[in-house]
Amino acid sequence: MLKKYPLIKWSLITIGGFIVILFLFGYWFFSLLPSNELKTDLTKTQAKELPYLSMNTKRTNGKILAVVTSCDLMGSSLKKTGYELTELSRAYYVFNANGYEVDIASPKGGKAPVIIDKDDMGAYDYAFLNDSVAQHKTHHTIPMKEVVPTEYDGVFFVGGKGAVFDFPQNLEIQTIVKEYYQEGKVIGAVCHGPAALVNVVLDDGTFLLQDKKVSGFTNTEELFLIPDAETIFPFLLQDELMAKGAAFKEGYPYLENVSEDKKLVTGGNPWSTWSFAEAMVRQLGHTPVKRTPTAEENAVEVLLSYETGGYKNAKDHLGALVIDKQKPVKRSLLAMHAVVASMQWKLGKASDLLGLVSYAKKITPEDN
């Protein structure tokens, strides 16, 4: 039959060849990822097991209020949302390690809806889930109406897409932000958390955001993940921040991006949380205690090196981290950015990033 229909024959050969190539590429791609990174079970991690949290001298510097969303659905889309666990857990432990007690509030109070992305979870995030004190706080958040602002040295608005829906119109949030800003207290927000700032008007009648350097989740990041975001959300965060006068700092997508404008500290996305929280500590008047950067943070460093200086610069940076400093680099994050680049048809960039993943495997001792 195939002799009579050569077109069918060659079509089948082509499809078969494509499937084989795809299979071989997939096999090669996953061979680049470290087996220990894929198999390590972090789900039972305890805070006391983490040197950063267990070996530092306990000190009391004050209290910080973390505010999370009460919204569990994205408008009429019925897509689930909540606060981003990694943005709360990592900041929570930075503040704890630096002597600050953290209370957790939300617009409605009670158990706050949470989004857990297992691909992004690390030791600190699982430790937070296993921390009975932290979990009690997230399950019994303080209603914003019951918050006593004078008890805290600063306030931190946690990201998560739900924040866009219930932070902007909350009068208690507007009041505490205005009072803290005018009193010179520290205000922080990360990812979608800056939605808390968009409707804050100071006593002089100007928007708090007017001419302020601010970072937040960008339009590019939002629309890549949710193409119909403009119809789901009341606004795109970047657009609204700029509409209220902010000098918006748009960093590279899904990489660290932190802005400081005096006592106002903002971070662009979940990968900004560590440096964002430590920036808040500095604004509170303290030098952050020494912390060993995570493998994820080291990968972000390499990716930033690529964005700012190209492939050779990133390769050199990667070599310095792994060979010279013997620091771990999360290869799966490098690979994820390669996949994102390919989805955007940036094939040259995707090839470069896969090259970095391959090089990382080559120079990592335990993988050879």
Side-chain angles (χ1 to χ4, degrees):
M1 178 179 175
L2 293 179
K3 291 182 179 180
K4 295 181 179 180
Y5 301 99
L7 182 60
I8 295 177
K9 173 183 176 181
W10 288 111
S11 295
L12 291 173
I13 291 174
T14 301
I15 293 172
F18 178 77
I19 291 173
V20 170
I21 292 171
L22 191 63
F23 174 80
L24 292 174
F25 175 80
Y27 179 82
W28 172 78
F29 178 82
F30 283 105
S31 74
L32 298 178
L33 303 180
S35 58
N36 64 321
E37 191 176 300
L38 295 173
K39 294 179 180 179
T40 301
D41 183 9
L42 299 174
T43 59
K44 296 181 181 180
T45 304
Q46 301 293 319
K48 64 183 179 181
E49 298 171 358
L50 303 171
Y52 176 59
L53 302 177
S54 61
M55 295 177 65
N56 292 310
T57 302
K58 296 293 183 181
R59 65 191 192 199
T60 303
N61 286 327
K63 294 176 70 176
I64 292 174
L65 181 69
V67 183
V68 298
T69 181
S70 294
C71 182
D72 61 355
L73 294 174
M74 297 185 208
S76 59
S77 73
L78 301 183
K79 294 181 180 180
K80 290 185 178 180
T81 188
Y83 71 88
E84 289 284 345
L85 178 81
T86 59
E87 295 172 19
L88 176 59
S89 57
R90 298 170 189 185
Y92 180 93
Y93 284 134
V94 167
F95 298 144
N96 276 183
N98 285 278
Y100 286 93
E101 181 183 350
V102 180
D103 285 344
I104 303 175
S106 67
K108 293 182 179 179
K111 185 176 181 179
V114 59
I115 293 296
I116 299 176
D117 187 340
K118 292 184 178 180
D119 291 336
D120 296 333
M121 294 285 284
Y124 288 88
D125 311 307
Y126 284 112
F128 186 82
L129 289 178
N130 296 324
D131 186 328
S132 59
V133 174
Q135 289 305 295
H136 183 272
K137 291 180 178 181
T138 61
H139 285 65
H140 301 83
T141 64
I142 305 167
M144 282 302 302
K145 290 182 179 180
E146 297 179 13
V147 167
V148 181
T150 54
E151 290 188 3
Y152 305 99
D153 300 281
V155 62
F156 158 47
F157 294 97
V158 182
K161 300 182 189 304
V164 176
F165 293 91
D166 64 354
F167 279 6
Q169 306 304 327
N170 187 276
L171 297 180
E172 287 77 24
I173 285 177
Q174 293 177 31
T175 297
I176 196 171
V177 171
K178 181 183 78 170
E179 291 179 353
Y180 276 23
Y181 182 81
Q182 294 181 159
E183 293 169 4
K185 287 188 175 182
V186 177
I187 301 165
V190 70
C191 200
H192 290 84
L197 312 176
V198 299
N199 289 326
V200 177
V201 178
L202 304 177
D203 285 343
D204 64 6
T206 62
F207 283 108
L208 175 145
L209 287 169
Q210 186 65 48
D211 300 323
K212 302 298 190 304
K213 291 181 289 185
V214 175
S215 295
F217 210 60
T218 66
N219 289 356
T220 298
E221 291 168 319
E222 197 79 87
L223 293 169
F224 178 78
L225 295 175
I226 306 178
D228 56 346
E230 291 175 279
T231 64
I232 292 175
F233 298 122
F235 52 76
L236 293 182
L237 182 59
Q238 177 180 346
D239 288 347
E240 190 69 7
L241 292 169
M242 294 175 68
K244 298 301 171 63
F248 190 81
K249 177 188 173 187
E250 183 173 0
Y252 296 104
Y254 313 115
L255 296 178
E256 181 184 308
N257 177 23
V258 176
S259 293
E260 296 181 58
D261 197 313
K262 298 180 180 178
K263 298 291 185 178
L264 178 63
V265 184
T266 49
N269 50 46
W271 297 274
S272 307
T273 304
W274 290 112
S275 55
F276 156 81
E278 289 173 339
M280 278 194 68
V281 171
R282 286 192 295 272
Q283 290 295 343
L284 286 160
H286 305 283
T287 299
V289 297
K290 188 175 181 180
R291 177 181 61 83
T292 301
T294 64
E296 180 184 85
E297 290 175 275
N298 294 332
V300 168
E301 271 192 32
V302 173
L303 289 164
L304 283 170
S305 293
Y306 176 80
E307 295 289 0
T308 57
Y311 178 77
K312 185 179 184 304
N313 186 55
K315 186 177 180 181
D316 290 344
H317 193 127
L318 178 58
L321 283 171
V322 178
I323 300 173
D324 300 338
K325 299 180 181 179
Q326 297 185 328
K327 292 185 176 181
V329 173
K330 189 174 182 179
R331 296 209 299 268
S332 59
L333 184 60
L334 301 180
M336 183 194 78
H337 277 259
V339 171
V340 169
S342 66
M343 291 172 68
Q344 297 173 322
W345 293 101
K346 298 178 180 179
L347 302 184
K349 180 179 180 180
S351 177
D352 284 347
L353 295 181
L354 286 175
L356 291 175
V357 179
S358 180
Y359 179 60
K361 179 180 180 179
K362 179 180 178 181
I363 63 176
T364 302
E366 58 265 31
D367 290 332
N368 294 292

